[in-house]
PDB file of all heavy atoms in Angstrom:
ATOM      1  N   ARG Q 436    -119.835 -10.780  52.439  1.00  0.00           N
ATOM      2  CA  ARG Q 436    -118.673 -11.297  53.164  1.00  0.00           C
ATOM      3  C   ARG Q 436    -119.091 -12.315  54.222  1.00  0.00           C
ATOM      4  O   ARG Q 436    -118.342 -13.230  54.546  1.00  0.00           O
ATOM      5  CB  ARG Q 436    -117.949 -10.157  53.870  1.00  0.00           C
ATOM      6  CG  ARG Q 436    -117.291  -9.133  52.979  1.00  0.00           C
ATOM      7  CD  ARG Q 436    -116.822  -7.968  53.827  1.00  0.00           C
ATOM      8  NE  ARG Q 436    -116.236  -6.903  53.034  1.00  0.00           N
ATOM      9  CZ  ARG Q 436    -115.965  -5.698  53.486  1.00  0.00           C
ATOM     10  NH1 ARG Q 436    -116.217  -5.412  54.765  1.00  0.00           N
ATOM     11  NH2 ARG Q 436    -115.447  -4.783  52.715  1.00  0.00           N
ATOM     12  N   ARG Q 437    -120.282 -12.132  54.760  1.00  0.00           N
ATOM     13  CA  ARG Q 437    -120.764 -12.964  55.865  1.00  0.00           C
ATOM     14  C   ARG Q 437    -121.625 -14.126  55.379  1.00  0.00           C
ATOM     15  O   ARG Q 437    -122.217 -14.842  56.181  1.00  0.00           O
ATOM     16  CB  ARG Q 437    -121.564 -12.096  56.844  1.00  0.00           C
ATOM     17  CG  ARG Q 437    -120.774 -10.992  57.481  1.00  0.00           C
ATOM     18  CD  ARG Q 437    -120.012 -11.487  58.682  1.00  0.00           C
ATOM     19  NE  ARG Q 437    -120.916 -11.778  59.795  1.00  0.00           N
ATOM     20  CZ  ARG Q 437    -120.613 -12.540  60.826  1.00  0.00           C
ATOM     21  NH1 ARG Q 437    -119.441 -13.122  60.892  1.00  0.00           N
ATOM     22  NH2 ARG Q 437    -121.479 -12.733  61.805  1.00  0.00           N
ATOM     23  N   ILE Q 438    -121.705 -14.301  54.060  1.00  0.00           N
ATOM     24  CA  ILE Q 438    -122.478 -15.406  53.494  1.00  0.00           C
ATOM     25  C   ILE Q 438    -121.548 -16.259  52.639  1.00  0.00           C
ATOM     26  O   ILE Q 438    -121.116 -15.842  51.564  1.00  0.00           O
ATOM     27  CB  ILE Q 438    -123.658 -14.906  52.638  1.00  0.00           C
ATOM     28  CG1 ILE Q 438    -124.580 -14.007  53.470  1.00  0.00           C
ATOM     29  CG2 ILE Q 438    -124.441 -16.090  52.070  1.00  0.00           C
ATOM     30  CD1 ILE Q 438    -125.729 -13.398  52.684  1.00  0.00           C
ATOM     31  N   GLY Q 439    -121.211 -17.450  53.124  1.00  0.00           N
ATOM     32  CA  GLY Q 439    -120.368 -18.357  52.368  1.00  0.00           C
ATOM     33  C   GLY Q 439    -121.194 -19.230  51.439  1.00  0.00           C
ATOM     34  O   GLY Q 439    -122.369 -19.489  51.714  1.00  0.00           O
ATOM     35  N   MET Q 440    -120.579 -19.669  50.345  1.00  0.00           N
ATOM     36  CA  MET Q 440    -121.282 -20.565  49.420  1.00  0.00           C
ATOM     37  C   MET Q 440    -120.427 -21.780  49.080  1.00  0.00           C
ATOM     38  O   MET Q 440    -119.218 -21.665  48.881  1.00  0.00           O
ATOM     39  CB  MET Q 440    -121.666 -19.826  48.137  1.00  0.00           C
ATOM     40  CG  MET Q 440    -122.864 -18.909  48.297  1.00  0.00           C
ATOM     41  SD  MET Q 440    -123.899 -18.766  46.810  1.00  0.00           S
ATOM     42  CE  MET Q 440    -124.551 -20.420  46.588  1.00  0.00           C
ATOM     43  N   ILE Q 441    -121.095 -22.914  49.028  1.00  0.00           N
ATOM     44  CA  ILE Q 441    -120.469 -24.150  48.572  1.00  0.00           C
ATOM     45  C   ILE Q 441    -121.276 -24.649  47.378  1.00  0.00           C
ATOM     46  O   ILE Q 441    -122.499 -24.785  47.465  1.00  0.00           O
ATOM     47  CB  ILE Q 441    -120.440 -25.206  49.698  1.00  0.00           C
ATOM     48  CG1 ILE Q 441    -119.572 -24.699  50.855  1.00  0.00           C
ATOM     49  CG2 ILE Q 441    -119.910 -26.539  49.185  1.00  0.00           C
ATOM     50  CD1 ILE Q 441    -119.581 -25.608  52.064  1.00  0.00           C
ATOM     51  N   PHE Q 442    -120.582 -24.892  46.273  1.00  0.00           N
ATOM     52  CA  PHE Q 442    -121.258 -25.181  45.015  1.00  0.00           C
ATOM     53  C   PHE Q 442    -121.120 -26.659  44.627  1.00  0.00           C
ATOM     54  O   PHE Q 442    -120.114 -27.303  44.949  1.00  0.00           O
ATOM     55  CB  PHE Q 442    -120.667 -24.341  43.884  1.00  0.00           C
ATOM     56  CG  PHE Q 442    -120.719 -22.857  44.109  1.00  0.00           C
ATOM     57  CD1 PHE Q 442    -119.695 -22.207  44.790  1.00  0.00           C
ATOM     58  CD2 PHE Q 442    -121.772 -22.103  43.634  1.00  0.00           C
ATOM     59  CE1 PHE Q 442    -119.725 -20.839  44.992  1.00  0.00           C
ATOM     60  CE2 PHE Q 442    -121.828 -20.735  43.834  1.00  0.00           C
ATOM     61  CZ  PHE Q 442    -120.802 -20.103  44.518  1.00  0.00           C
ATOM     62  N   GLN Q 443    -122.092 -27.142  43.872  1.00  0.00           N
ATOM     63  CA  GLN Q 443    -122.031 -28.501  43.340  1.00  0.00           C
ATOM     64  C   GLN Q 443    -120.816 -28.669  42.439  1.00  0.00           C
ATOM     65  O   GLN Q 443    -120.139 -29.705  42.458  1.00  0.00           O
ATOM     66  CB  GLN Q 443    -123.315 -28.796  42.557  1.00  0.00           C
ATOM     67  CG  GLN Q 443    -123.307 -30.147  41.843  1.00  0.00           C
ATOM     68  CD  GLN Q 443    -124.573 -30.362  41.037  1.00  0.00           C
ATOM     69  OE1 GLN Q 443    -125.587 -29.699  41.265  1.00  0.00           O
ATOM     70  NE2 GLN Q 443    -124.532 -31.269  40.093  1.00  0.00           N
ATOM     71  N   SER Q 444    -120.501 -27.630  41.648  1.00  0.00           N
ATOM     72  CA  SER Q 444    -119.395 -27.700  40.692  1.00  0.00           C
ATOM     73  C   SER Q 444    -118.074 -27.189  41.273  1.00  0.00           C
ATOM     74  O   SER Q 444    -117.119 -26.968  40.544  1.00  0.00           O
ATOM     75  CB  SER Q 444    -119.750 -26.891  39.437  1.00  0.00           C
ATOM     76  OG  SER Q 444    -120.046 -25.544  39.787  1.00  0.00           O
ATOM     77  N   PHE Q 445    -118.038 -26.966  42.593  1.00  0.00           N
ATOM     78  CA  PHE Q 445    -116.841 -26.591  43.366  1.00  0.00           C
ATOM     79  C   PHE Q 445    -116.410 -25.123  43.182  1.00  0.00           C
ATOM     80  O   PHE Q 445    -116.011 -24.478  44.130  1.00  0.00           O
ATOM     81  CB  PHE Q 445    -115.657 -27.510  43.075  1.00  0.00           C
ATOM     82  CG  PHE Q 445    -115.994 -28.968  43.023  1.00  0.00           C
ATOM     83  CD1 PHE Q 445    -115.702 -29.732  41.906  1.00  0.00           C
ATOM     84  CD2 PHE Q 445    -116.625 -29.586  44.096  1.00  0.00           C
ATOM     85  CE1 PHE Q 445    -116.021 -31.084  41.851  1.00  0.00           C
ATOM     86  CE2 PHE Q 445    -116.961 -30.941  44.050  1.00  0.00           C
ATOM     87  CZ  PHE Q 445    -116.659 -31.698  42.927  1.00  0.00           C
ATOM     88  N   ASN Q 446    -116.438 -24.621  41.919  1.00  0.00           N
ATOM     89  CA  ASN Q 446    -116.058 -23.234  41.633  1.00  0.00           C
ATOM     90  C   ASN Q 446    -114.666 -22.868  42.154  1.00  0.00           C
ATOM     91  O   ASN Q 446    -114.464 -21.803  42.726  1.00  0.00           O
ATOM     92  CB  ASN Q 446    -117.101 -22.257  42.206  1.00  0.00           C
ATOM     93  CG  ASN Q 446    -118.314 -22.115  41.304  1.00  0.00           C
ATOM     94  OD1 ASN Q 446    -118.675 -23.055  40.604  1.00  0.00           O
ATOM     95  ND2 ASN Q 446    -118.945 -20.958  41.327  1.00  0.00           N
ATOM     96  N   LEU Q 447    -113.737 -23.770  41.940  1.00  0.00           N
ATOM     97  CA  LEU Q 447    -112.339 -23.498  42.294  1.00  0.00           C
ATOM     98  C   LEU Q 447    -111.578 -23.011  41.065  1.00  0.00           C
ATOM     99  O   LEU Q 447    -112.016 -23.207  39.923  1.00  0.00           O
ATOM    100  CB  LEU Q 447    -111.684 -24.773  42.838  1.00  0.00           C
ATOM    101  CG  LEU Q 447    -112.337 -25.435  44.050  1.00  0.00           C
ATOM    102  CD1 LEU Q 447    -111.573 -26.703  44.405  1.00  0.00           C
ATOM    103  CD2 LEU Q 447    -112.396 -24.482  45.230  1.00  0.00           C
ATOM    104  N   VAL Q 448    -110.419 -22.394  41.295  1.00  0.00           N
ATOM    105  CA  VAL Q 448    -109.496 -22.044  40.193  1.00  0.00           C
ATOM    106  C   VAL Q 448    -108.502 -23.182  40.094  1.00  0.00           C
ATOM    107  O   VAL Q 448    -107.575 -23.300  40.895  1.00  0.00           O
ATOM    108  CB  VAL Q 448    -108.788 -20.701  40.468  1.00  0.00           C
ATOM    109  CG1 VAL Q 448    -107.893 -20.336  39.278  1.00  0.00           C
ATOM    110  CG2 VAL Q 448    -109.803 -19.589  40.732  1.00  0.00           C
ATOM    111  N   TYR Q 449    -108.706 -24.050  39.130  1.00  0.00           N
ATOM    112  CA  TYR Q 449    -107.988 -25.324  39.099  1.00  0.00           C
ATOM    113  C   TYR Q 449    -106.490 -25.180  38.851  1.00  0.00           C
ATOM    114  O   TYR Q 449    -105.704 -26.043  39.240  1.00  0.00           O
ATOM    115  CB  TYR Q 449    -108.596 -26.238  38.037  1.00  0.00           C
ATOM    116  CG  TYR Q 449    -109.958 -26.788  38.431  1.00  0.00           C
ATOM    117  CD1 TYR Q 449    -110.878 -27.179  37.461  1.00  0.00           C
ATOM    118  CD2 TYR Q 449    -110.327 -26.906  39.768  1.00  0.00           C
ATOM    119  CE1 TYR Q 449    -112.129 -27.669  37.813  1.00  0.00           C
ATOM    120  CE2 TYR Q 449    -111.564 -27.397  40.128  1.00  0.00           C
ATOM    121  CZ  TYR Q 449    -112.456 -27.776  39.157  1.00  0.00           C
ATOM    122  OH  TYR Q 449    -113.687 -28.252  39.519  1.00  0.00           O
ATOM    123  N   ARG Q 450    -106.072 -24.096  38.212  1.00  0.00           N
ATOM    124  CA  ARG Q 450    -104.629 -23.920  37.943  1.00  0.00           C
ATOM    125  C   ARG Q 450    -103.885 -23.415  39.171  1.00  0.00           C
ATOM    126  O   ARG Q 450    -102.650 -23.407  39.185  1.00  0.00           O
ATOM    127  CB  ARG Q 450    -104.419 -22.957  36.785  1.00  0.00           C
ATOM    128  CG  ARG Q 450    -104.969 -21.573  37.035  1.00  0.00           C
ATOM    129  CD  ARG Q 450    -104.813 -20.649  35.843  1.00  0.00           C
ATOM    130  NE  ARG Q 450    -105.483 -19.372  36.038  1.00  0.00           N
ATOM    131  CZ  ARG Q 450    -104.993 -18.363  36.736  1.00  0.00           C
ATOM    132  NH1 ARG Q 450    -103.802 -18.489  37.315  1.00  0.00           N
ATOM    133  NH2 ARG Q 450    -105.666 -17.245  36.880  1.00  0.00           N
ATOM    134  N   LEU Q 451    -104.623 -22.980  40.202  1.00  0.00           N
ATOM    135  CA  LEU Q 451    -104.010 -22.477  41.421  1.00  0.00           C
ATOM    136  C   LEU Q 451    -103.939 -23.565  42.484  1.00  0.00           C
ATOM    137  O   LEU Q 451    -104.636 -24.580  42.415  1.00  0.00           O
ATOM    138  CB  LEU Q 451    -104.784 -21.269  41.959  1.00  0.00           C
ATOM    139  CG  LEU Q 451    -104.844 -20.035  41.054  1.00  0.00           C
ATOM    140  CD1 LEU Q 451    -105.598 -18.923  41.744  1.00  0.00           C
ATOM    141  CD2 LEU Q 451    -103.439 -19.574  40.650  1.00  0.00           C
ATOM    142  N   SER Q 452    -103.108 -23.348  43.482  1.00  0.00           N
ATOM    143  CA  SER Q 452    -102.918 -24.334  44.542  1.00  0.00           C
ATOM    144  C   SER Q 452    -104.110 -24.355  45.491  1.00  0.00           C
ATOM    145  O   SER Q 452    -104.941 -23.437  45.510  1.00  0.00           O
ATOM    146  CB  SER Q 452    -101.650 -24.017  45.339  1.00  0.00           C
ATOM    147  OG  SER Q 452    -101.841 -22.829  46.108  1.00  0.00           O
ATOM    148  N   VAL Q 453    -104.164 -25.411  46.289  1.00  0.00           N
ATOM    149  CA  VAL Q 453    -105.172 -25.521  47.339  1.00  0.00           C
ATOM    150  C   VAL Q 453    -105.099 -24.296  48.251  1.00  0.00           C
ATOM    151  O   VAL Q 453    -106.118 -23.681  48.591  1.00  0.00           O
ATOM    152  CB  VAL Q 453    -104.958 -26.811  48.141  1.00  0.00           C
ATOM    153  CG1 VAL Q 453    -105.787 -26.816  49.423  1.00  0.00           C
ATOM    154  CG2 VAL Q 453    -105.319 -28.031  47.280  1.00  0.00           C
ATOM    155  N   PHE Q 454    -103.890 -23.949  48.665  1.00  0.00           N
ATOM    156  CA  PHE Q 454    -103.674 -22.826  49.583  1.00  0.00           C
ATOM    157  C   PHE Q 454    -104.213 -21.511  48.980  1.00  0.00           C
ATOM    158  O   PHE Q 454    -104.913 -20.738  49.660  1.00  0.00           O
ATOM    159  CB  PHE Q 454    -102.181 -22.701  49.869  1.00  0.00           C
ATOM    160  CG  PHE Q 454    -101.832 -21.772  50.988  1.00  0.00           C
ATOM    161  CD1 PHE Q 454    -102.536 -21.780  52.185  1.00  0.00           C
ATOM    162  CD2 PHE Q 454    -100.765 -20.875  50.851  1.00  0.00           C
ATOM    163  CE1 PHE Q 454    -102.205 -20.918  53.222  1.00  0.00           C
ATOM    164  CE2 PHE Q 454    -100.413 -20.022  51.890  1.00  0.00           C
ATOM    165  CZ  PHE Q 454    -101.135 -20.039  53.077  1.00  0.00           C
ATOM    166  N   GLN Q 455    -103.923 -21.270  47.701  1.00  0.00           N
ATOM    167  CA  GLN Q 455    -104.390 -20.038  47.055  1.00  0.00           C
ATOM    168  C   GLN Q 455    -105.912 -20.004  46.955  1.00  0.00           C
ATOM    169  O   GLN Q 455    -106.527 -18.953  47.145  1.00  0.00           O
ATOM    170  CB  GLN Q 455    -103.762 -19.917  45.652  1.00  0.00           C
ATOM    171  CG  GLN Q 455    -102.272 -19.602  45.665  1.00  0.00           C
ATOM    172  CD  GLN Q 455    -101.677 -19.709  44.278  1.00  0.00           C
ATOM    173  OE1 GLN Q 455    -101.737 -20.758  43.651  1.00  0.00           O
ATOM    174  NE2 GLN Q 455    -101.098 -18.622  43.794  1.00  0.00           N
ATOM    175  N   ASN Q 456    -106.504 -21.151  46.641  1.00  0.00           N
ATOM    176  CA  ASN Q 456    -107.970 -21.196  46.544  1.00  0.00           C
ATOM    177  C   ASN Q 456    -108.623 -20.908  47.895  1.00  0.00           C
ATOM    178  O   ASN Q 456    -109.626 -20.192  47.960  1.00  0.00           O
ATOM    179  CB  ASN Q 456    -108.416 -22.562  46.031  1.00  0.00           C
ATOM    180  CG  ASN Q 456    -108.475 -22.634  44.513  1.00  0.00           C
ATOM    181  OD1 ASN Q 456    -109.435 -22.202  43.895  1.00  0.00           O
ATOM    182  ND2 ASN Q 456    -107.412 -23.186  43.912  1.00  0.00           N
ATOM    183  N   VAL Q 457    -108.056 -21.431  48.950  1.00  0.00           N
ATOM    184  CA  VAL Q 457    -108.614 -21.183  50.282  1.00  0.00           C
ATOM    185  C   VAL Q 457    -108.480 -19.701  50.653  1.00  0.00           C
ATOM    186  O   VAL Q 457    -109.409 -19.093  51.191  1.00  0.00           O
ATOM    187  CB  VAL Q 457    -107.932 -22.080  51.340  1.00  0.00           C
ATOM    188  CG1 VAL Q 457    -108.406 -21.708  52.757  1.00  0.00           C
ATOM    189  CG2 VAL Q 457    -108.257 -23.549  51.063  1.00  0.00           C
ATOM    190  N   LEU Q 458    -107.344 -19.107  50.339  1.00  0.00           N
ATOM    191  CA  LEU Q 458    -107.124 -17.688  50.629  1.00  0.00           C
ATOM    192  C   LEU Q 458    -108.117 -16.780  49.899  1.00  0.00           C
ATOM    193  O   LEU Q 458    -108.422 -15.673  50.360  1.00  0.00           O
ATOM    194  CB  LEU Q 458    -105.702 -17.288  50.274  1.00  0.00           C
ATOM    195  CG  LEU Q 458    -104.615 -17.716  51.265  1.00  0.00           C
ATOM    196  CD1 LEU Q 458    -103.236 -17.516  50.662  1.00  0.00           C
ATOM    197  CD2 LEU Q 458    -104.735 -16.954  52.584  1.00  0.00           C
ATOM    198  N   HIS Q 459    -108.657 -17.264  48.782  1.00  0.00           N
ATOM    199  CA  HIS Q 459    -109.639 -16.460  48.041  1.00  0.00           C
ATOM    200  C   HIS Q 459    -110.863 -16.134  48.883  1.00  0.00           C
ATOM    201  O   HIS Q 459    -111.600 -15.186  48.567  1.00  0.00           O
ATOM    202  CB  HIS Q 459    -110.068 -17.206  46.767  1.00  0.00           C
ATOM    203  CG  HIS Q 459    -109.086 -17.085  45.658  1.00  0.00           C
ATOM    204  ND1 HIS Q 459    -109.272 -17.683  44.432  1.00  0.00           N
ATOM    205  CD2 HIS Q 459    -107.897 -16.447  45.579  1.00  0.00           C
ATOM    206  CE1 HIS Q 459    -108.241 -17.414  43.653  1.00  0.00           C
ATOM    207  NE2 HIS Q 459    -107.384 -16.672  44.330  1.00  0.00           N
ATOM    208  N   GLY Q 460    -111.076 -16.875  49.953  1.00  0.00           N
ATOM    209  CA  GLY Q 460    -112.185 -16.571  50.852  1.00  0.00           C
ATOM    210  C   GLY Q 460    -112.058 -15.217  51.532  1.00  0.00           C
ATOM    211  O   GLY Q 460    -113.044 -14.695  52.068  1.00  0.00           O
ATOM    212  N   ARG Q 461    -110.860 -14.628  51.498  1.00  0.00           N
ATOM    213  CA  ARG Q 461    -110.644 -13.314  52.132  1.00  0.00           C
ATOM    214  C   ARG Q 461    -110.750 -12.152  51.148  1.00  0.00           C
ATOM    215  O   ARG Q 461    -110.633 -10.990  51.557  1.00  0.00           O
ATOM    216  CB  ARG Q 461    -109.255 -13.269  52.783  1.00  0.00           C
ATOM    217  CG  ARG Q 461    -109.046 -14.267  53.898  1.00  0.00           C
ATOM    218  CD  ARG Q 461    -110.104 -14.150  54.977  1.00  0.00           C
ATOM    219  NE  ARG Q 461    -110.026 -12.879  55.730  1.00  0.00           N
ATOM    220  CZ  ARG Q 461    -110.936 -12.501  56.622  1.00  0.00           C
ATOM    221  NH1 ARG Q 461    -111.982 -13.262  56.880  1.00  0.00           N
ATOM    222  NH2 ARG Q 461    -110.792 -11.353  57.257  1.00  0.00           N
ATOM    223  N   LEU Q 462    -110.987 -12.422  49.869  1.00  0.00           N
ATOM    224  CA  LEU Q 462    -110.973 -11.362  48.874  1.00  0.00           C
ATOM    225  C   LEU Q 462    -112.001 -10.272  49.155  1.00  0.00           C
ATOM    226  O   LEU Q 462    -111.780  -9.094  48.900  1.00  0.00           O
ATOM    227  CB  LEU Q 462    -111.214 -11.941  47.472  1.00  0.00           C
ATOM    228  CG  LEU Q 462    -110.075 -12.811  46.920  1.00  0.00           C
ATOM    229  CD1 LEU Q 462    -110.469 -13.387  45.569  1.00  0.00           C
ATOM    230  CD2 LEU Q 462    -108.784 -12.010  46.808  1.00  0.00           C
ATOM    231  N   GLY Q 463    -113.147 -10.649  49.699  1.00  0.00           N
ATOM    232  CA  GLY Q 463    -114.191  -9.675  49.993  1.00  0.00           C
ATOM    233  C   GLY Q 463    -113.815  -8.678  51.070  1.00  0.00           C
ATOM    234  O   GLY Q 463    -114.453  -7.628  51.201  1.00  0.00           O
ATOM    235  N   TYR Q 464    -112.770  -8.986  51.824  1.00  0.00           N
ATOM    236  CA  TYR Q 464    -112.309  -8.105  52.893  1.00  0.00           C
ATOM    237  C   TYR Q 464    -111.140  -7.215  52.470  1.00  0.00           C
ATOM    238  O   TYR Q 464    -110.677  -6.394  53.248  1.00  0.00           O
ATOM    239  CB  TYR Q 464    -111.880  -8.929  54.107  1.00  0.00           C
ATOM    240  CG  TYR Q 464    -113.017  -9.655  54.800  1.00  0.00           C
ATOM    241  CD1 TYR Q 464    -113.417 -10.908  54.405  1.00  0.00           C
ATOM    242  CD2 TYR Q 464    -113.678  -9.047  55.868  1.00  0.00           C
ATOM    243  CE1 TYR Q 464    -114.455 -11.563  55.039  1.00  0.00           C
ATOM    244  CE2 TYR Q 464    -114.714  -9.705  56.526  1.00  0.00           C
ATOM    245  CZ  TYR Q 464    -115.105 -10.963  56.098  1.00  0.00           C
ATOM    246  OH  TYR Q 464    -116.137 -11.608  56.733  1.00  0.00           O
ATOM    247  N   MET Q 465    -110.661  -7.411  51.246  1.00  0.00           N
ATOM    248  CA  MET Q 465    -109.438  -6.742  50.812  1.00  0.00           C
ATOM    249  C   MET Q 465    -109.716  -5.600  49.848  1.00  0.00           C
ATOM    250  O   MET Q 465    -110.741  -5.590  49.151  1.00  0.00           O
ATOM    251  CB  MET Q 465    -108.495  -7.760  50.149  1.00  0.00           C
ATOM    252  CG  MET Q 465    -108.068  -8.893  51.086  1.00  0.00           C
ATOM    253  SD  MET Q 465    -107.292 -10.276  50.221  1.00  0.00           S
ATOM    254  CE  MET Q 465    -105.819  -9.502  49.540  1.00  0.00           C
ATOM    255  N   SER Q 466    -108.793  -4.648  49.776  1.00  0.00           N
ATOM    256  CA  SER Q 466    -108.875  -3.589  48.781  1.00  0.00           C
ATOM    257  C   SER Q 466    -108.622  -4.202  47.409  1.00  0.00           C
ATOM    258  O   SER Q 466    -108.016  -5.273  47.287  1.00  0.00           O
ATOM    259  CB  SER Q 466    -107.835  -2.510  49.051  1.00  0.00           C
ATOM    260  OG  SER Q 466    -106.517  -3.013  48.868  1.00  0.00           O
ATOM    261  N   THR Q 467    -109.093  -3.518  46.369  1.00  0.00           N
ATOM    262  CA  THR Q 467    -108.920  -4.048  45.010  1.00  0.00           C
ATOM    263  C   THR Q 467    -107.449  -4.259  44.646  1.00  0.00           C
ATOM    264  O   THR Q 467    -107.088  -5.334  44.135  1.00  0.00           O
ATOM    265  CB  THR Q 467    -109.589  -3.119  43.985  1.00  0.00           C
ATOM    266  OG1 THR Q 467    -110.997  -3.041  44.284  1.00  0.00           O
ATOM    267  CG2 THR Q 467    -109.412  -3.661  42.577  1.00  0.00           C
ATOM    268  N   PRO Q 468    -106.549  -3.302  44.922  1.00  0.00           N
ATOM    269  CA  PRO Q 468    -105.128  -3.542  44.590  1.00  0.00           C
ATOM    270  C   PRO Q 468    -104.553  -4.764  45.326  1.00  0.00           C
ATOM    271  O   PRO Q 468    -103.829  -5.567  44.728  1.00  0.00           O
ATOM    272  CB  PRO Q 468    -104.440  -2.251  45.027  1.00  0.00           C
ATOM    273  CG  PRO Q 468    -105.506  -1.210  44.992  1.00  0.00           C
ATOM    274  CD  PRO Q 468    -106.754  -1.919  45.412  1.00  0.00           C
ATOM    275  N   SER Q 469    -104.850  -4.887  46.604  1.00  0.00           N
ATOM    276  CA  SER Q 469    -104.329  -6.023  47.369  1.00  0.00           C
ATOM    277  C   SER Q 469    -104.884  -7.331  46.850  1.00  0.00           C
ATOM    278  O   SER Q 469    -104.173  -8.345  46.764  1.00  0.00           O
ATOM    279  CB  SER Q 469    -104.687  -5.856  48.852  1.00  0.00           C
ATOM    280  OG  SER Q 469    -103.988  -4.768  49.420  1.00  0.00           O
TER     281      SER Q 469
END
């Protein structure tokens, strides 16, 4: 959770919005159902 990564190939979910992709940065802090 405390180690961020930035990739050469971006590793974004292209079908999702910018906002949704940014929010993915919080997934490591959330329960699996959430």
Side-chain angles (χ1 to χ4, degrees):
R436 294 171 183 168
R437 299 276 289 161
I438 302 176
M440 283 213 65
I441 296 175
F442 302 88
Q443 174 182 341
S444 57
F445 316 124
N446 279 31
L447 303 178
V448 182
Y449 289 155
R450 61 183 173 80
L451 298 182
S452 69
V453 167
F454 191 44
Q455 289 171 302
N456 272 278
V457 173
L458 283 168
H459 280 179
R461 298 305 294 173
L462 291 177
Y464 292 88
M465 299 167 64
S466 67
T467 299
S469 292

